[in-house]
Amino acid sequence: MEELYYESNVLRLSYSRDMNMGKAEWRGFLSSKEFRENGLRCLEFITAYNISRWQADQRQMLAIRQQDLQWVIAEFMPQLLASPLRRMAIIVSGDIFNNMAMEQLFKRSSNFGDLIIKEFDAEDEAFEWLKTPIPAAVAQ
């Protein structure tokens, strides 16, 4: 059963206890302030609930500014990699500029350590992949 953790006009966060999975549904174009505040909210949520699986639904998310992408690489990713998260499924946006930003992120972030990140076009495919067991060596 999915429990609501937080909701605003740009982000909905929910949690499935039985799967130890968090879900972020992003919507629209976010100001830098909204983007960073909600990114940090996701990190707090992951840490507080010791979440190992994450579904980032970006289908309705629009472009990410270049300065926000720089922030993700420099500030957000190191914190995310230090979190309990081990598997992240990203459902790609229909926005070409969002997709270009995500492509840059993957090119510029060379090592994700124990975190496995995969992109999907459909929610059901992402969910099926997230359900698969996490190897004990990376579940720690």
Side-chain angles (χ1 to χ4, degrees):
M1 184 171 121
E2 201 171 280
E3 301 173 38
L4 182 63
Y5 177 78
Y6 170 82
E7 187 163 20
S8 73
N9 62 323
V10 295
L11 177 66
R12 182 181 196 276
L13 292 175
S14 56
Y15 177 67
S16 172
R17 287 188 195 277
D18 57 331
M19 284 189 56
N20 193 28
M21 183 180 87
K23 181 177 179 181
E25 298 170 73
W26 296 89
R27 296 182 286 268
F29 182 74
L30 286 72
S31 69
S32 288
K33 182 179 182 203
E34 288 173 320
F35 183 82
R36 295 172 192 209
E37 284 177 355
N38 284 293
L40 293 173
R41 181 171 280 117
C42 289
L43 284 172
E44 291 168 6
F45 178 41
I46 289 166
T47 302
Y49 283 76
N50 200 34
I51 293 171
S52 60
R53 293 173 171 87
W54 189 260
Q55 181 177 309
D57 185 343
Q58 297 181 349
R59 288 178 287 188
Q60 296 180 36
M61 186 179 196
L62 299 177
I64 299 172
R65 290 183 173 97
Q66 191 63 37
Q67 66 264 26
D68 294 330
L69 182 62
Q70 295 285 56
W71 175 81
V72 168
I73 294 165
E75 304 290 329
F76 181 84
M77 286 307 292
Q79 293 179 67
L80 184 67
L81 296 175
S83 79
L85 197 63
R86 293 296 164 255
R87 192 170 283 178
M88 179 189 291
I90 299 172
I91 305 171
V92 296
S93 174
D95 183 83
I96 185 87
F97 298 108
N98 181 287
N99 292 334
M100 288 169 43
M102 294 305 293
E103 186 176 307
Q104 282 186 39
L105 172 65
F106 289 125
K107 283 182 182 175
R108 293 158 91 183
S109 299
S110 58
N111 184 3
F112 293 118
D114 291 335
L115 177 60
I116 300 168
I117 302 174
K118 288 183 79 172
E119 291 183 311
F120 296 89
D121 292 322
E123 185 174 10
D124 57 340
E125 294 171 2
F127 184 73
E128 286 303 313
W129 177 72
L130 285 168
K131 284 190 332 187
T132 60
I134 297 173
V138 277
Q140 314 255 326

